[in-house]
Amino acid sequence: VAGSRSPSIGGLASGPMPLPQAGRLPTGLDQPSMPRLQAECIDEMGTGELSWLSPERHLGDEHLVFELGPPTPAADMAGNSTPGAMWEEEMRCMPTDGAVAEGHMDMEAAPVQAAGTIAEAAGAKPELQVVANTTSSTGFGACHPMRLLANHALKCFCIGVVLLNLAIIPGIAVMPVELETNFDSFLITDVPSNLYLSAFEQALAQREQGPARRLAAVGDTIYFTKDLVVMYELQGQGNLLRGGLFHSKAINAIRRFERALVGDPQWTALCERSENTTRALCELGISFTHYMMPTLRYSAGETGTSVVPEALVADGNGFDLVSVSTALMLAKTQGVDTVMLPGDLTAAESESVSDPTVSHLRSVFRFKVPCCSSSESILQRRLNNLYFTWEWQDLFRETIRPHLQKGPPEDLREIMNVFYDGTDVQAIEVTEAIYSDLLLAGLSLVYVFGYAAFHTRSLLLALCGPIIALSAVPLTFVICSVCIGTTTISFANFLALFLIVGFGADVIFVYTDFWHQSKEVETELPERLSWTYSMAVKSSCTTTGTTALAFLANLASSIRALRQFGFFMGVCVTLAWFLIGAMYAPLLVVDHNLRHFGCRRTFRRSRMDASVSEVPYAGPTCKTKSLSTWTKVLSRCRWCMLLATFAMAAASIGASVTSFAFVTGAPELFADDHNQVQSARVKKFFTPSGMAFGHNFDEPERTEKVCDGPRNSADNGCTINWCQADALRGDPATSWTGAGTCTCFRTENPFLCGSADTVEVGVTLVGVDRLTATQIQTEIGDHMVRNGGSLAFDDINLRGSMREKQLPVLFLQDWETGIVVLQPTFRVDAKLTRSLRNSSSCGFEDVCYCGPATCSTANDEILPLPVRDLQLTAARRLEMFNYAQVPDGKRANVRVAFGLHVPTATALLSGEDPKNAWSFLEDFDLRQPWAQRSLVDFCAELPLEMRVTSKFCWMDDVRTHARTSGFYFPLRPGDFNHVAGLYTRYGGGSTRGTRYIWLVGEDIKAVFVSLYIDVYDSAGVGTGLAEMELWDKYVRGWNAKAFSTAAGAFHVSELWVRSESQGALIMSTSSTLMILFILAFAAMFFFTRSCLLSLFVVLSTALVVVFLVFYVAVIARLPFGLIEVVAIIYFIGYALDYSLHIAYKYSGRDALTREASTVGMAAAADVRLRRTRYALKSMGGAVVGSAMTTGGSAFFLIFCNLVLFQRLGAMCLAVTLASVIVALGPLPALLLTFGPVEPACCLLRWCCGPRAPPCRDMKE
């Protein structure tokens, strides 16, 4: 202090000396020494009075606090402070050996000039070190966390890195990441229709792995199965071909194309590892070309007297094409028609004489390779599985995909397109796309590093900051794996890599800006670090909380994957905030030391350095000046800004409403021309893979035995009857209409019946596939009696016992012209009474040709004789909905399951194990006759209002098969499994095989029926929900009256799921948005205690949402689907962040103490201006920096391969731009105009009313 009179104070150097505010006194200083020291200080300074306070311990250090003020008449020497001091200062006298935190000045290198000893006053030799400190107000002790953190910043950062790696690396090693590449899983909702459909499809996929197959015996061979599906679609000039893909040009092109594929050496090597019984599935596959060009096998040594082959082999090695109707019949006989043919090619069309036209075909190839024995260890089996999967994926990448992408020969590419699918195909292509997009994530990181270096002016901070933020992603995976219990993540979770970069940059820039601003307030590093923490934690906690809550609000969604991703991102955001606070803040100190002391001095700092700062405050920066100028501009133009903003919002709402369109269904992952998109479109024309060729699909019996003539039945092993056509009557393309004249020929049975009372007679009808009971008993019965001579129905019961039977199809071939006519064959047997036992006929066999051709009898040993023609009248059709308006292939499919139980309880986050999604009903038992009657009644009693156009009822076909086999229906419990097994293996109905049943051993555990209704499968929500309600009512009523062992049915349809899910999605989205706005208001109110500021933040968020909807509907012209709805929910947190930063800083008290008043301005306007200016200067830079990094990261998303990332990136860029504009423009204008002068008084005035005490802000 200038003007000191005494040359010394206990030995201090004479001359002007700064007023000591911090120093060291000997540890032995006792209380009696205080008056003496006080007297000498007063005598020396002569400018005031030193009043001692009592000694105390502060933060672990012994110190004395005193006040220096003007002389007063009485000073309490006992240590009481003098009242009325004009100014207050603090002096801390700390022990010499006390530890001092690291500071800005190296005491060893540059000792303080104003230093001396107080030997006489203290009675000891240790010196008093006097250190100048003009602004220190806190003073941290040696053990204070801030001093320790500043002292050992580098050590703390390294410890954090080690702990973080110890949590991430072992966690991922124990719980490796499994990528879910099926986007359909992202659409699983908790609506009942979706739960039932998902469980039903899981049951279809797992029915071959039922209890009988899951519990494999020790030593059984385990197989690995990989499928390849190739689909062909007619295009361009191919539409001009007669028959479409059935044309010989297309069939030959497909045949050559597939032979080139299976002839590849790598394909052959893998296929040869299959067993002999299944090798044909990969050597030949299941292709329609095999049935269009079968090998005709003739008897050995047979001469040219017969043109009827011995067998047909569907191998594609024939020389000539057979007719399409022949190929369709062969495919249907072998049960592979649904594998190769589209669903709109109905059974009626495939059996007609006229060859249909088809635009789509499908071929399937299966590699079924023995893996290992069930007695081997699980580890060994998993290793074998991994190796085989690697081989398959390598084959697909190196051989299959290049060949399929090349397509058919050049001259045929203009008539057809080739698409492909199969095991792991979607996973391979999605994974490749994700890995390719990760390169863009790397570019976004480079951009973030560059901008962070520009913003922080430090390479260390720019490199480490984003990496710290990104480390939250794997750490979140480990935590979520433990909490949720699954290691499978959706590919959408990779979006977290882009999102967390933007969010982390926001928090990083907040810490960085407050660290730089701390120079204005503190000079010592511990104090600066403490001030940075106090400001940054509060500011970032507000936005972090709202962002995390915005993601966690998705827990209210009905989409399970959306809930999981919301939880993942909520945890990830919170962890990123914590990691940045714990690791990035110490890094600021390390960077400061590196800047000013170099690497060597940084790692060898003494503990005294924390108390010194060498970097003086340099005044306002260019950034703060720019933001201050922007505040002035807004203050003058605030009304124009508000009017323009709300006018644009109103115009955006109007334009969005007129352009708004909502779409349903799963969004596409790839561009429209990508194979995944096109194959998904083409797959809809075919029966689902799980039903057409499930895991238990085996090599079909390609060889079909052929018998000569129409009289042979399936009992002799023939599946095809073949004859040389003798005559063609009329147009061969004309099929039987169900009424008309049939030409009949009779062969008498030999007279070996003796004196029997009754004999067997039979009538085989060619061209008739089914007759009604009335037609059989009257018209067929009358024909038998009328042409039977002395045979008659004497007993009415004999007429009632007539039996019908479906016979194999008959090929009528005109060898000379090459015309082949396929005719269904139907047989009726009866017993007639002989009126004359010795002379009456012993029975006969009639063959009646009701179609356009008859078989030649030239080679028959016994020539049949013509008899009177059979006249058939049109049968009365069953009452059914016959006015279908929806074309085939576009009708909605409804499936009703019997015998399955589906639990409807769902977990909040964890996905249900597919094996636990369904189970068999314990009480379901079709062996009971009443249960069989109930299932028959279900299909028979469908009302017209259900608009069923076609149905596939397994129990109806079993009934028909039982009757034709001589059994009564319903079947007795002991006969049911036997007859059902016969129908499964040899039946001729459309539901033959195991496609519609769950077979465990010999027991039918469950069954389903498939029905098509006259409603578009793409119908709207209202239509879908109305139809679903009708089916709910019918199935509920049937369950109520059904027999107990058959009840428990439920119905599923993709139309129900889409309609109900869309409604649930709209409701959950609305509720989630409402929750988000409420949370935003609550969070803002919690931190600011201001209702008005909270409303302003919600209003700003609503403006951002309006502009985002405007971008989607008007600018991008995208319909609102799942991606757009999810994006709005995801990015709502980003819409909140920037406005929350500005509003929170507006509410702080620092604005009134650190911003100067404007002369001549009204008090309220001046307070609003000071608060707004301070908010923009404090947070404007961080807001702009965060927007630059978030927008930059989103910009790279636009160039991703996945359409999902492209759209989300564009929308993220749009919402970031809108958010930063609203936060720096309309919101400050709103605060300048209507902002609260006393933000913290809202709650106080609400509670206390007019009696509320004055607010502290205005008092200050």
Side-chain angles (χ1 to χ4, degrees):
V1 179
S4 293
R5 298 192 303 269
S6 177
S8 67
I9 301 181
L12 287 175
S14 61
M17 182 186 69
L19 177 67
Q21 291 185 336
R24 291 198 183 103
L25 287 178
T27 56
L29 183 64
D30 53 3
Q31 186 71 20
S33 301
M34 296 179 185
R36 184 178 170 189
L37 178 62
Q38 181 186 23
E40 291 195 16
C41 290
I42 295 173
D43 182 65
E44 170 66 31
M45 297 179 182
T47 57
E49 181 176 82
L50 188 64
S51 300
W52 290 100
L53 298 179
S54 59
E56 56 180 307
R57 295 186 62 85
H58 180 63
L59 298 177
D61 298 322
E62 295 181 0
H63 64 282
L64 298 171
V65 180
F66 66 90
E67 296 178 352
L68 182 64
T72 57
D76 188 355
M77 300 301 293
N80 299 323
S81 60
T82 303
M86 296 181 62
W87 70 88
E88 296 181 359
E89 297 290 349
E90 282 189 354
M91 170 179 282
R92 291 182 294 133
C93 299
M94 295 177 290
T96 305
D97 58 349
V100 181
E102 183 177 272
H104 301 287
M105 180 172 292
D106 192 338
M107 297 297 295
E108 296 176 357
V112 179
Q113 296 180 358
T117 60
I118 315 180
E120 297 181 0
K125 293 182 180 180
E127 297 180 348
L128 172 66
Q129 299 285 348
V130 181
V131 182
N133 186 0
T134 58
T135 59
S136 178
S137 59
T138 56
F140 294 132
C143 298
H144 190 269
M146 287 297 108
R147 188 171 293 277
L148 291 174
L149 187 58
N151 226 7
H152 307 285
L154 184 59
K155 294 179 182 178
C156 294
F157 175 76
C158 293
I159 292 173
V161 172
V162 172
L163 293 177
L164 188 61
N165 283 277
L166 288 177
I168 293 175
I169 296 176
I172 294 181
V174 175
M175 299 173 290
V177 180
E178 297 178 12
L179 180 62
E180 175 60 72
T181 57
N182 183 13
F183 192 79
D184 292 339
S185 64
F186 199 76
L187 303 177
I188 297 177
T189 60
D190 291 339
V191 295
S193 60
N194 192 75
L195 293 176
Y196 280 112
L197 180 61
S198 299
F200 178 77
E201 291 179 344
Q202 289 292 344
L204 287 178
Q206 299 174 21
R207 57 182 171 182
E208 70 281 352
Q209 300 174 356
R213 302 213 174 194
R214 291 183 202 162
L215 302 177
V218 176
D220 285 356
T221 303
I222 298 176
Y223 296 90
F224 290 148
T225 302
K226 301 295 182 182
D227 293 336
L228 175 66
V229 180
V230 183
M231 293 163 285
Y232 305 93
E233 183 180 41
L234 208 62
Q235 68 147 357
Q237 297 182 5
N239 294 305
L240 302 177
L241 297 177
R242 182 179 180 182
L245 290 177
F246 286 157
H247 192 273
S248 60
K249 186 177 181 180
I251 290 295
N252 280 293
I254 295 174
R255 182 190 186 190
R256 294 195 304 270
F257 178 74
E258 292 178 352
R259 284 192 171 185
L261 175 64
V262 300
D264 184 87
Q266 191 176 0
W267 177 292
T268 304
L270 185 61
C271 184
E272 287 178 350
R273 292 165 52 185
S274 303
E275 294 180 344
N276 293 332
T277 56
T278 60
R279 188 172 300 165
L281 287 174
C282 55
E283 285 184 344
L284 297 175
I286 307 297
S287 174
F288 196 71
T289 60
H290 303 155
Y291 297 88
M292 286 291 293
M293 304 184 71
T295 298
L296 304 181
R297 184 187 301 168
Y298 294 91
S299 299
E302 184 176 284
T303 62
T305 58
S306 176
V307 296
V308 178
E310 179 184 50
L312 284 177
V313 183
D315 56 4
N317 293 325
F319 296 101
D320 297 320
L321 275 74
V322 300
S323 65
V324 175
S325 54
T326 302
L328 292 173
M329 189 280 305
L330 286 174
K332 183 179 179 182
T333 301
Q334 296 188 356
V336 295
D337 53 334
T338 57
V339 176
M340 304 175 297
L341 302 174
D344 56 358
L345 191 63
T346 62
E349 291 174 326
S350 65
E351 293 176 355
S352 63
V353 177
S354 59
D355 293 341
T357 298
V358 68
S359 300
H360 301 88
L361 285 177
R362 178 170 66 180
S363 299
V364 177
F365 302 88
R366 168 164 292 180
F367 293 84
K368 191 172 184 179
V369 177
C371 148
C372 42
S373 172
S374 59
S375 59
E376 296 183 20
S377 64
I378 297 178
L379 178 60
Q380 184 62 40
R381 281 183 273 173
R382 288 181 177 177
L383 291 176
N384 292 342
N385 185 23
L386 289 175
Y387 181 72
F388 180 68
T389 301
W390 175 84
E391 285 185 301
W392 163 252
Q393 293 182 358
D394 182 66
L395 173 66
F396 176 79
R397 292 189 179 98
E398 299 297 329
T399 300
I400 297 176
R401 183 166 57 183
H403 181 79
L404 295 176
Q405 289 178 343
K406 182 180 178 181
E410 269 187 50
D411 58 332
L412 298 176
R413 291 177 191 172
E414 59 184 11
I415 68 172
M416 71 174 71
N417 286 322
V418 180
F419 308 108
Y420 54 88
D421 193 16
T423 307
D424 301 334
V425 171
Q426 185 183 38
I428 292 172
E429 296 193 335
V430 172
T431 303
E432 289 177 348
I434 289 177
Y435 288 156
S436 175
D437 294 343
L438 286 180
L439 297 177
L440 293 174
L443 292 177
S444 68
L445 278 180
V446 172
Y447 165 78
V448 171
F449 289 148
Y451 185 83
F454 169 78
H455 190 95
T456 62
R457 302 295 193 273
S458 170
L459 290 178
L460 176 65
L461 299 179
L463 290 174
C464 296
I467 294 176
I468 293 173
L470 282 175
S471 63
V473 177
L475 183 60
T476 303
F477 167 76
V478 174
I479 294 176
C480 291
S481 298
V482 175
C483 296
I484 301 177
T486 177
T487 59
T488 302
I489 62 173
S490 170
F491 56 86
N493 286 37
F494 280 88
L495 187 65
L497 296 174
F498 295 89
L499 299 182
I500 206 65
V501 168
F503 172 80
D506 182 23
V507 182
I508 288 170
F509 293 155
V510 168
Y511 272 88
T512 304
D513 287 357
F514 277 121
W515 173 254
H516 292 316
Q517 294 174 27
S518 66
K519 299 177 185 178
E520 306 175 23
V521 183
E522 304 289 349
T523 56
E524 293 188 7
L525 287 183
E527 281 77 6
R528 287 185 62 188
L529 191 59
S530 175
W531 188 87
T532 300
Y533 265 121
S534 64
M535 303 301 293
V537 168
K538 289 188 292 184
S539 297
S540 60
C541 182
T542 308
T543 55
T544 301
T546 52
T547 303
L549 289 175
F551 284 113
L552 293 176
N554 291 287
L555 294 175
S557 175
S558 60
I559 301 177
R560 183 185 305 161
L562 192 57
R563 295 198 303 269
Q564 292 176 346
F565 183 73
F567 179 77
F568 183 91
M569 283 303 302
V571 175
C572 189
V573 165
T574 305
L575 287 178
W577 174 79
F578 174 78
L579 292 175
I580 292 172
M583 299 177 65
Y584 183 77
L587 204 62
L588 292 169
V589 179
V590 175
D591 177 72
H592 172 84
N593 294 333
L594 285 174
R595 285 170 180 265
H596 302 291
F597 302 109
C599 294
R600 182 178 179 183
R601 300 292 300 281
T602 299
F603 296 113
R604 299 181 60 186
R605 301 286 293 153
S606 70
R607 294 187 298 174
M608 285 292 297
D609 296 340
S611 61
V612 182
S613 175
E614 291 181 347
V615 184
Y617 172 57
T621 62
C622 179
K623 178 174 58 179
T624 56
K625 291 180 180 179
S626 302
L627 292 171
S628 180
T629 303
W630 173 245
T631 307
K632 292 180 183 179
V633 173
L634 284 177
S635 178
R636 296 172 183 173
C637 306
R638 59 185 183 275
W639 283 107
C640 295
M641 173 67 72
L642 292 177
L643 291 176
T645 300
F646 289 106
M648 291 177 60
S652 299
I653 293 174
S656 302
V657 170
T658 57
S659 304
F660 186 86
F662 199 92
V663 296
T664 59
E668 301 296 347
L669 288 179
F670 298 93
D672 292 340
D673 58 347
H674 195 276
N675 170 73
Q676 286 294 321
V677 177
Q678 295 298 324
S679 63
R681 176 183 60 82
V682 176
K683 279 194 297 187
K684 295 180 180 179
F685 293 96
F686 299 94
T687 304
S689 302
M691 294 181 60
F693 51 98
H695 188 74
N696 61 343
F697 181 84
D698 292 325
E699 166 70 11
E701 184 61 42
R702 297 180 183 270
T703 302
E704 296 291 343
K705 184 179 179 180
V706 178
C707 292
D708 191 357
R711 295 181 176 84
N712 298 285
S713 66
D715 298 338
N716 55 16
C718 293
T719 55
I720 301 173
N721 292 330
W722 194 305
C723 72
Q724 165 67 19
D726 185 40
L728 291 176
R729 297 179 288 114
D731 185 3
T734 303
S735 60
W736 174 254
T737 60
T741 302
C742 301
T743 302
C744 299
F745 298 88
R746 173 170 297 179
T747 302
E748 291 285 346
N749 292 337
F751 286 92
L752 300 176
C753 55
S755 60
D757 294 333
T758 59
V759 293
E760 293 282 345
V761 298
V763 177
T764 300
L765 296 99
V766 178
V768 178
D769 59 347
R770 180 173 297 184
L771 295 175
T772 64
T774 302
Q775 287 178 310
I776 292 173
Q777 294 183 15
T778 56
E779 297 177 0
I780 302 298
D782 292 346
H783 170 79
M784 292 176 175
V785 173
R786 184 171 56 249
N787 296 290
S790 57
L791 301 179
F793 287 105
D794 288 347
D795 190 345
I796 189 63
N797 294 327
L798 291 178
R799 187 181 289 265
S801 63
M802 298 174 68
R803 302 180 306 276
E804 68 273 14
K805 179 187 295 186
Q806 191 79 36
L807 297 181
V809 68
L810 176 64
F811 282 72
L812 294 98
Q813 180 186 28
D814 188 343
W815 180 259
E816 184 175 347
T817 61
I819 298 176
V820 175
V821 179
L822 271 69
Q823 295 290 293
T825 310
F826 190 77
R827 179 181 175 87
V828 178
D829 294 307
K831 287 185 178 181
L832 297 182
T833 302
R834 301 175 68 193
S835 58
L836 301 174
R837 294 185 179 181
N838 295 326
S839 60
S840 296
S841 171
C842 285
F844 54 84
E845 295 286 340
D846 282 358
V847 178
C848 299
Y849 296 94
C850 303
T854 60
C855 288
S856 173
T857 60
N859 296 328
D860 289 359
E861 295 180 2
I862 301 177
L863 294 179
L865 301 175
V867 294
R868 187 180 303 176
D869 293 340
L870 170 65
Q871 297 292 331
L872 292 177
T873 59
R876 181 179 178 271
R877 297 179 61 90
L878 294 177
E879 190 175 26
M880 183 178 274
F881 189 82
N882 294 320
Y883 303 97
Q885 299 178 354
V886 179
D888 291 338
K890 296 184 178 181
R891 297 172 187 167
N893 179 224
V894 180
R895 290 170 287 182
V896 184
F898 307 85
L900 297 179
H901 170 68
V902 178
T904 55
T906 58
L908 181 63
L909 293 175
S910 60
E912 186 72 25
D913 187 348
K915 296 180 181 178
N916 300 329
W918 65 277
S919 60
F920 293 122
L921 285 174
E922 295 181 358
D923 297 335
F924 186 78
D925 189 1
L926 286 180
R927 293 176 298 178
Q928 299 296 329
W930 277 107
Q932 300 170 38
R933 294 187 182 100
S934 297
L935 259 67
V936 170
D937 292 341
F938 182 89
C939 291
E941 297 177 357
L942 289 169
L944 287 177
E945 62 182 4
M946 311 294 285
R947 297 194 285 183
V948 176
T949 59
S950 59
K951 55 185 179 181
F952 299 88
C953 298
W954 181 81
M955 189 57 72
D956 282 356
D957 292 339
V958 170
R959 179 182 61 174
T960 302
H961 181 78
R963 288 177 175 175
T964 57
S965 300
F967 291 89
Y968 287 97
F969 189 87
L971 297 164
R972 296 178 300 177
D975 296 332
F976 180 79
N977 285 347
H978 172 68
V979 176
L982 291 176
Y983 172 72
T984 300
R985 291 186 293 270
Y986 309 114
S990 58
T991 61
R992 65 198 177 280
T994 60
R995 188 187 315 168
Y996 294 89
I997 61 174
W998 281 261
L999 184 64
V1000 178
E1002 295 183 355
D1003 296 331
I1004 309 296
K1005 304 295 292 184
V1007 63
F1008 77 93
V1009 300
S1010 179
L1011 308 105
Y1012 288 87
I1013 60 177
D1014 190 45
V1015 177
Y1016 280 98
D1017 54 7
S1018 59
V1021 176
T1023 302
L1025 293 177
E1027 293 295 326
M1028 184 178 69
E1029 186 177 355
L1030 285 175
W1031 282 90
D1032 282 339
K1033 180 180 178 181
Y1034 179 74
V1035 174
R1036 190 166 49 247
W1038 182 87
N1039 282 328
K1041 66 179 183 180
F1043 194 66
S1044 59
T1045 60
F1050 63 87
H1051 59 96
V1052 296
S1053 175
E1054 293 183 358
L1055 177 59
W1056 310 160
V1057 174
R1058 186 171 57 255
S1059 301
E1060 196 172 13
S1061 296
Q1062 181 177 338
L1065 180 61
I1066 294 174
M1067 291 299 297
S1068 64
T1069 302
S1070 303
S1071 61
T1072 303
L1073 288 176
M1074 185 63 64
I1075 292 173
L1076 290 176
F1077 284 122
I1078 294 174
L1079 288 176
F1081 181 89
M1084 192 63 198
F1085 184 77
F1086 175 79
F1087 286 101
T1088 64
R1089 302 296 192 274
S1090 174
C1091 302
L1092 196 56
L1093 285 179
S1094 303
L1095 287 175
F1096 286 171
V1097 171
V1098 173
L1099 180 60
S1100 301
T1101 306
L1103 286 175
V1104 174
V1105 173
V1106 167
F1107 293 139
L1108 179 60
V1109 173
F1110 173 77
Y1111 165 78
V1112 174
V1114 179
I1115 299 179
R1117 297 187 179 276
L1118 295 173
F1120 269 81
L1122 180 64
I1123 291 180
E1124 288 70 29
V1125 171
V1126 168
I1128 292 177
I1129 297 175
Y1130 281 0
F1131 299 138
I1132 198 71
Y1134 283 85
L1136 287 169
D1137 273 3
Y1138 305 146
S1139 299
L1140 272 174
H1141 277 311
I1142 302 300
Y1144 176 72
K1145 276 300 170 184
Y1146 178 92
S1147 67
R1149 300 173 183 169
D1150 294 340
L1152 300 180
T1153 58
R1154 301 185 60 185
E1155 292 293 329
S1157 300
T1158 303
V1159 180
M1161 182 174 288
D1166 178 62
V1167 171
R1168 293 190 182 103
L1169 178 61
R1170 291 162 62 191
R1171 288 183 178 276
T1172 305
R1173 183 168 59 227
Y1174 175 72
L1176 290 178
K1177 289 169 62 177
S1178 300
M1179 299 305 303
V1183 166
V1184 173
S1186 176
M1188 291 292 292
T1189 53
T1190 304
S1193 300
F1195 175 77
F1196 288 97
L1197 278 173
I1198 299 176
F1199 302 98
C1200 288
N1201 293 311
L1202 296 178
V1203 175
L1204 171 70
F1205 288 172
Q1206 293 176 9
R1207 293 189 182 180
L1208 289 179
M1211 295 179 68
C1212 183
L1213 187 61
V1215 78
T1216 302
L1217 183 62
S1219 298
V1220 71
I1221 291 176
V1222 170
L1224 298 181
L1227 179 59
L1230 200 61
L1231 294 174
L1232 288 169
T1233 308
F1234 304 105
V1237 178
E1238 307 169 68
C1241 292
C1242 174
L1243 183 61
L1244 190 63
R1245 289 181 174 175
W1246 181 75
C1247 295
C1248 303
R1251 295 177 297 173
C1255 291
R1256 183 175 179 181
D1257 289 348
M1258 289 305 295
K1259 182 179 178 181
E1260 293 176 352

